[in-house]
Amino acid sequence: MSLLVRERREHHLYVSSLLTSPLVDLDTGAVIAHPATVDPTGSLRAAPLPMIIELPVRTVLPGAGTLAPLHEALRRAGRHPREAILLLTGTCQEQDRPLLKVGLDGLRTIGYLLGLAGVGSAGPALDLVAETAPYVLALDPDVVARVPADHRATAVVRAVASLARDVGAHVLAPDVRREAQVAVLRGLGVRLAHGPLLAPGPDGKVRVPLPVADESPATVMLGPRVQEMLLPAVTLPAEAKAEEAVAAFGHEPTITSVILVDEFQRPKGSLDRSRFLLSFAARYGHALHGSKPAQRLADPPRTVPRTTPAIAAMQAAGRDAARVYDDLVVTDELNRCLGIVRVSDLIRQVSAIRA
């Protein structure tokens, strides 16, 4: 990964990323983020959410004012910090660590997801990784390039993956070029990747070599895992106001739920479209609820691990008769929200199995 950052008087901050492909979930083949840039005019260049933006660590140290052009570019594009992953590149000197921690805390409070690049080689020290608890740890590209031929590089990846599990982070493998790399990285616990192998084809689709599925009769009768039916979740911070949720529902009529999450993307509440908007349809509904926390009107999230079979997910959906058709929140091993699965999709899958 490389980044060109130049401060210009006329445009303040120019961020140009050389990421050449979207970020892909190696477990499911789903695209979860696209590279984004801020061009010389101060405009955000990004595909539909979510997005990833690379920044040198040194741009965070001077304080919030340095990144004001980035915040402004997001605002002008109608995007929110929670839609962006800031991937910080470079190293931090020992004396600058307090400044970095303050800067990262400020960005996290605004809503950005944070990542550290170059982990496992010349990037940030491992104790700094543990202290800052980022959302993503990006491996050094040189380490990834030597997998699987070099057992020492494989050992480094294994160590970073273990650290990531302990601090609640995802591991990202950059510049993936060969299928053999994907197989080994996936086996070591690396979940995210980008690179030439994962670049979109002529039809615009990304194709990932997935692991061989278990086709035993018992497994087939349980249906596919919910991660194969995953849909992006519309999320808001757990402390969001109810009027923000109304705006989210109004932005897109196909949205069936809004998930309230904490700073680590763990689900804290679920807003069902029909019940939530009905609260506002009543007389004085907006006056009563608009400026109050949306959490007051939220139900507890109904979560299922991403490896849950369709049959088991259907059983989970049926445990509460009053919410049988509410979206299920799909979570990873650290209870972070990966997306949602709709009960109607589960019904179709189960019906197809039994047909």
Side-chain angles (χ1 to χ4, degrees):
M1 293 182 193
S2 61
L3 175 80
L4 176 62
V5 173
R6 295 196 298 270
E7 293 189 26
R8 296 182 172 183
R9 291 180 182 176
E10 65 271 33
H11 302 309
H12 304 291
L13 183 67
Y14 172 38
V15 180
S16 174
S17 173
L18 296 184
L19 271 69
T20 57
S21 71
L23 266 65
V24 175
D25 185 328
L26 294 181
D27 282 351
T28 66
V31 173
I32 67 164
H34 295 270
T37 64
V38 178
D39 70 14
T41 69
S43 299
L44 179 70
R45 305 295 183 188
L49 65 92
M51 55 190 159
I52 184 164
I53 302 172
E54 292 184 287
L55 291 172
V57 167
R58 61 182 172 79
T59 62
V60 178
L61 301 180
T66 307
L67 295 180
L70 173 60
H71 308 326
E72 175 62 14
L74 284 172
R75 187 194 67 78
R76 287 165 49 192
R79 309 292 287 272
H80 191 279
R82 65 175 174 269
E83 301 169 21
I85 301 171
L86 298 185
L87 188 61
L88 303 181
T89 62
T91 58
C92 177
Q93 301 299 320
E94 182 67 31
Q95 64 271 20
D96 292 329
R97 285 193 178 194
L99 292 175
L100 178 62
K101 292 176 184 176
V102 170
L104 294 183
D105 287 342
L107 291 170
R108 190 178 280 120
T109 299
I110 294 172
Y112 290 104
L113 298 177
L114 303 174
L116 298 176
V119 180
S121 183
L126 296 185
D127 63 327
L128 179 62
V129 171
E131 290 174 11
T132 55
Y135 181 71
V136 171
L137 296 181
L139 293 161
D140 186 280
D142 292 336
V143 172
V144 175
R146 289 164 25 216
V147 172
D150 188 338
H151 71 278
R152 293 164 295 189
T154 302
V156 170
V157 175
R158 184 180 294 109
V160 172
S162 177
L163 173 63
R165 284 193 296 272
D166 289 340
V167 301
H170 294 298
V171 182
L172 164 64
D175 201 31
V176 173
R177 297 174 176 271
R178 304 182 305 277
E179 291 193 15
Q181 286 176 299
V182 171
V184 173
L185 291 169
R186 186 190 288 120
L188 293 173
V190 175
R191 179 153 168 236
L192 308 178
H194 76 79
L197 179 67
L198 306 173
D203 58 359
K205 296 181 179 180
V206 173
R207 291 175 173 79
V208 180
L210 296 176
V212 177
D214 183 354
E215 299 293 346
S216 64
T219 300
V220 170
M221 289 305 297
L222 291 176
R225 296 180 175 183
V226 292
Q227 66 185 17
E228 298 177 37
M229 294 171 276
L230 195 65
L231 296 173
V234 176
T235 62
L236 286 174
E239 62 276 11
K241 297 289 190 293
E243 58 191 3
E244 295 179 66
V246 172
F249 282 120
H251 181 69
E252 174 54 60
T254 63
I255 294 173
T256 52
S257 64
V258 169
I259 309 303
L260 303 177
V261 297
D262 65 11
E263 60 180 319
F264 298 107
Q265 299 300 296
R266 294 173 300 200
K268 295 300 180 181
S270 176
L271 300 171
D272 175 73
R273 183 187 189 96
S274 299
R275 289 196 300 276
F276 178 75
L277 294 182
L278 187 61
S279 300
F280 281 78
R283 193 176 185 183
Y284 307 121
H286 194 281
L288 288 172
H289 305 297
S291 61
K292 303 291 180 58
Q295 185 70 56
R296 295 170 63 248
L297 300 173
D299 296 300
R302 299 197 305 171
T303 61
V304 290
R306 62 188 179 89
T307 55
T308 304
I311 291 288
M314 283 278 291
Q315 293 171 342
R319 288 179 189 142
D320 186 346
R323 301 179 59 197
V324 68
Y325 288 108
D326 283 16
D327 295 338
L328 300 179
V329 183
V330 181
T331 57
D332 66 7
E333 293 80 358
L334 298 171
N335 196 37
R336 292 173 297 202
C337 174
L338 298 178
I340 61 167
V341 62
R342 292 176 177 162
V343 174
S344 58
D345 293 335
L346 292 173
I347 293 173
R348 280 192 292 271
Q349 289 290 342
V350 173
S351 297
I353 294 170
R354 296 180 175 178

